[in-house]
Every structure is written in C-alpha cells, then in structure tokens.
Amino acid sequence: MSETQELPAHVAGNREAWDQFAADYVANGEQAWSEDEVTWGIYSVPESEWHLLPDDLAGKDAIELGCGTAYVSAWLAKRGAKPVGIDNSPKQLETARRLQKEHGIDFPLLLGNAETVPYPDESFDYAISEYGAAIWCDPYKWIPEAARLLRPGGELMFLQNSTISMLCTPDQEEEAPLENRLERPQFGLFSMSWEDHSTEFHLSHGEQLRLLRDSGFEVLDLIEIRPPADATTTYRWASLDWALQWPIEEAWKARKR
Ligand SMILES: C[S@@+](CC[C@H](N)C(=O)[O-])C[C@H]1O[C@@H](n2cnc3c(N)ncnc32)[C@H](O)[C@@H]1O
C-alpha cells in the first residue's frame, strides 16, 4: 500500500487538491516571504493592529500546522523563534524550500498530516495555523494533537473563516460570493467537501470552545476580524461589503493548562 493510500480519505483528497492549488499560491508566498511586516488572512490585516502573535517569540520552539509556503514560519524565525513547518502537500513544500534558500532562512519542513505529528509530547512552546490545520484538518484530531505537542503554558493561535461566513457560503460552488443570508444550518456544521475533492472543517463557536477546553486549553481570546473600509483582496467570494458588516474571519488564542 502506498503512503497516500494509508492516509485518511480527507487527508489524501486534500493532498491531491493542494498539490493542484500550489501553483496559485506561489506569488502570495513569494510576496509574504519578502515582507517583514506581518499581515493576516483574506484582507492582509496588519499584525501591528490585530496582535495575533505573542509579544515575545525569542528562543521559542514553534510549530506551524499546515504551513503551505511557510511564510508564517519565516516571520516567526525573523522574530527569534525556532520554527518547524509541517504540511500535507509536497508541491507547497517545494515552494517553501525554494523560498528558504532564496531568503537564507532555514528551519525543518516536514511532509505530513498535522493530525498526527512525528514529534514527542511537549516539544513546543507555540503552535500556529493560518488557514492550515485550522480548516483542512479534522478539529477533533488536530486540536488534541496541538495540545499534546505543546508544553504546559504553551500557546496556540489559529486563524480561519468565521463560523458565520461558513453559514452564509452557498452550496453550489466553492468560489461563489458570500450571501447576506444563512445558506445552511449551524447544527451539524462540521465537514464541507467540494467538487475538487478537498474537504474543509468548521465548527460552531460553542463546539470549538468545548473542544479546546476538553483538549486541555484555556481560551484566551476570540478575535473577529473587520478589514479597513479600503481593504482589497484577491478572493472573489469575500466581498468587502459583506466583511464590513459581519466578521469574515476569526482568530482563536488558547493556552495549554
Ligand atoms: C491556505 S494554505 C495555509 C498556508 C498559508 N498560511 C496560506 O494561507 O497560504 C493551506 C495548507 O494546509 C495544508 N494542509 C491541508 N491538510 C493538511 C494536513 N492534514 N496536514 C498538514 N497540512 C495540511 C495544505 O497542503 C496547504 O498547504
């Protein structure tokens, strides 16, 4: 049996999908690696305003779960952390490795599933995911796994589509713009599979909160992002008019007890 056949079905499907999407993420990765200023998510909101990272990362062992082209890990390294990136897509990691060489910033990059990371318990002080494990891994697997990987007092931050944006996402087509009405029930919200065989995961706030607590985290913050009125994005589905009325993305911060 090949390695891909041994992966859970959603992980194998997401590997195939992300190997295809990877070419579309090269330019964004190149741009983000060359920026010293950290910006986040769909509307590139600035870290200086939203404070998603801890103030002091110097010397911290950090892991990025679903690192893609690994620009977040590069930002952590520039702030003195010792990052490790894990990603499920060989093609995304190909870009990450090239950019590491071009920028002379080296850290371990692993091909693997962020639901089962090959590191011992309590190896890290900080775990982060910007639209990586946060939406592409089964939350009931990756959040307990993040808790296992963190030392007591270690922090987790993840940025993802907001729950309300997923409730307003039409069924028909992945790139269809968000609607100004609810398109699906919240009860039962969990996995969403698309025509390209990719599968995303989203939870209600109540379930997310309970899962974090049950996994050994205390929740520090839930930050609902509102872009500035002149913000721009390359994502066709994310209209600014919508994002100015409802939170289009959300960041969770939690600390391992
Ligand atoms: C949107 S990218 C996130 C990286 C980057 N922050 C960005 O926004 O471009 C999503 C990444 O999650 C990765 N991914 C999907 N499923 C994964 C899994 N089970 N384990 C690790 N990475 C996974 C994909 O391969 C992809 O590189």
Side-chain angles (χ1 to χ4, degrees):
M1 197 183 263
S2 76
E3 196 212 338
T4 307
Q5 284 170 321
E6 285 167 16
L7 295 171
H10 67 278
V11 179
N14 285 342
R15 177 169 292 184
E16 201 186 314
W18 271 98
D19 273 350
Q20 281 173 20
F21 304 155
D24 297 333
Y25 282 75
V26 170
N28 181 58
E30 288 174 343
Q31 172 70 24
W33 266 83
S34 65
E35 298 283 348
D36 284 334
E37 203 208 337
V38 174
T39 58
W40 298 110
I42 298 165
Y43 280 99
S44 303
V45 298
E47 168 63 14
S48 53
E49 186 181 341
W50 291 88
H51 306 289
L52 303 191
L53 292 176
D55 290 338
D56 186 11
L57 281 162
K60 298 270 178 9
D61 293 311
I63 183 156
E64 185 181 3
L65 300 163
C67 63
T69 58
Y71 56 83
V72 171
S73 291
W75 289 334
L76 299 183
K78 288 179 191 175
R79 279 155 187 75
K82 294 177 278 174
V84 169
I86 180 166
D87 199 276
N88 184 37
S89 158
K91 293 275 180 210
Q92 286 276 82
L93 290 175
E94 226 172 77
T95 308
R97 293 201 173 97
R98 173 173 64 79
L99 290 168
Q100 277 192 322
K101 283 204 190 88
E102 285 177 21
H103 290 267
I105 299 177
D106 195 30
F107 47 82
L109 284 170
L110 277 68
L111 173 63
N113 174 11
E115 297 169 357
T116 52
V117 177
Y119 269 84
D121 296 357
E122 303 187 3
S123 294
F124 297 96
D125 306 300
Y126 189 62
I128 189 166
S129 174
E130 185 206 30
Y131 288 96
I135 67 165
W136 298 103
C137 288
D138 179 340
Y140 289 92
K141 301 219 164 76
W142 86 265
I143 287 185
E145 182 67 349
R148 182 188 73 75
L149 291 166
L150 284 169
R151 300 178 180 124
E155 289 190 19
L156 168 68
M157 192 288 283
F158 54 97
L159 177 66
Q160 60 189 11
N161 311 90
S162 68
T163 303
I164 193 168
S165 76
M166 298 320 297
L167 298 181
C168 295
T169 298
D171 257 335
Q172 315 86 298
E173 198 203 327
E174 193 175 0
E175 290 299 310
L178 297 177
E179 296 287 356
N180 289 6
R181 60 168 185 265
L182 300 174
E183 289 282 321
R184 68 189 68 245
Q186 176 170 307
F187 293 120
L189 184 69
F190 181 57
S191 73
M192 297 165 82
S193 295
W194 306 104
E195 279 173 357
D196 54 22
H197 306 299
S198 66
T199 304
E200 292 180 32
F201 296 88
H202 301 278
L203 295 178
S204 70
H205 285 171
E207 284 187 45
Q208 186 86 74
L209 184 72
R210 211 165 301 117
L211 172 58
L212 284 161
R213 285 193 180 150
D214 290 350
S215 305
F217 288 104
E218 70 174 299
V219 175
L220 301 176
D221 210 347
L222 167 57
I223 299 161
E224 296 170 311
I225 307 270
R226 186 177 200 251
D230 60 351
T232 56
T233 182
T234 54
Y235 294 96
R236 179 165 81 75
W237 54 269
S239 95
L240 184 61
D241 181 54
W242 196 101
L244 291 172
Q245 297 180 74
W246 299 279
I248 196 161
E249 33 187 13
E250 60 190 38
W252 289 77
K253 289 186 188 180
R255 183 186 294 128
K256 183 173 170 179
R257 288 190 294 265

